[in-house]
Amino acid sequence: MHLEREIDGKLVKVEWQLTSPFDPTADVEGEEGGQEYEATDFCITLENKSGAGVSFYCSTQTGEDHRYVIGNVKSFASKEEKESVSSYNGPEFEDIDEKLQESLDELLAEANILCFE
């Protein structure tokens, strides 16, 4: 499933795989099940009209301080490079320079996507 919209001439897309709301750890008698929820992986892509852009591979997290975290960041110069299955998915977000992390967070904020880490 995906959501997309255009902001300032750039396409912003959020894609994720739907998951079942069924909790297999819930008791059949109606008692509450486990409080642990599986993370949902999703991808945020910002792309300009020429096909160049950046993708953020993210995952949801439970808890008060986290909504989602960024795993990898991939930049691409063309639609073909973006869709290539053999292309590099980029470095781990936590491994890149702090100033670059801040700049990427600002990029997401400009696209009205908030990052919580």
Side-chain angles (χ1 to χ4, degrees):
M1 176 174 267
H2 76 269
L3 299 171
E4 66 180 59
R5 77 179 200 193
E6 192 170 318
I7 300 175
D8 298 329
K10 294 183 178 115
L11 180 65
V12 178
K13 188 185 300 187
V14 180
E15 301 173 277
W16 68 96
Q17 183 70 33
L18 294 177
T19 58
S20 171
F22 173 70
D23 182 1
T25 62
D27 189 275
V28 278
E29 296 294 320
E31 293 180 21
E32 289 187 32
Q35 294 298 317
E36 294 296 320
Y37 296 98
E38 277 191 44
T40 299
D41 295 330
F42 62 100
C43 182
I44 302 168
T45 302
L46 308 173
E47 187 175 341
N48 64 21
K49 292 190 186 284
S50 71
V54 63
S55 292
F56 298 85
Y57 296 94
C58 308
S59 182
T60 60
Q61 284 198 344
T62 57
E64 293 180 24
D65 295 339
H66 298 286
R67 303 274 173 85
Y68 74 90
V69 294
I70 300 170
N72 295 72
V73 180
K74 174 185 178 178
S75 65
F76 49 91
S78 66
K79 185 175 182 175
E80 293 78 23
E81 185 179 346
K82 173 186 157 195
E83 294 175 355
S84 173
V85 293
S86 63
S87 67
Y88 176 55
N89 279 343
E92 290 284 329
F93 187 74
E94 293 295 320
D95 291 343
I96 59 178
D97 183 73
E98 236 176 82
K99 289 190 185 270
L100 181 55
Q101 287 180 28
E102 290 172 12
S103 295
L104 292 170
D105 281 341
E106 288 173 13
L107 180 65
L108 288 172
E110 287 174 11
N112 294 320
I113 300 172
L114 299 175
C115 179
F116 300 94
E117 295 196 43

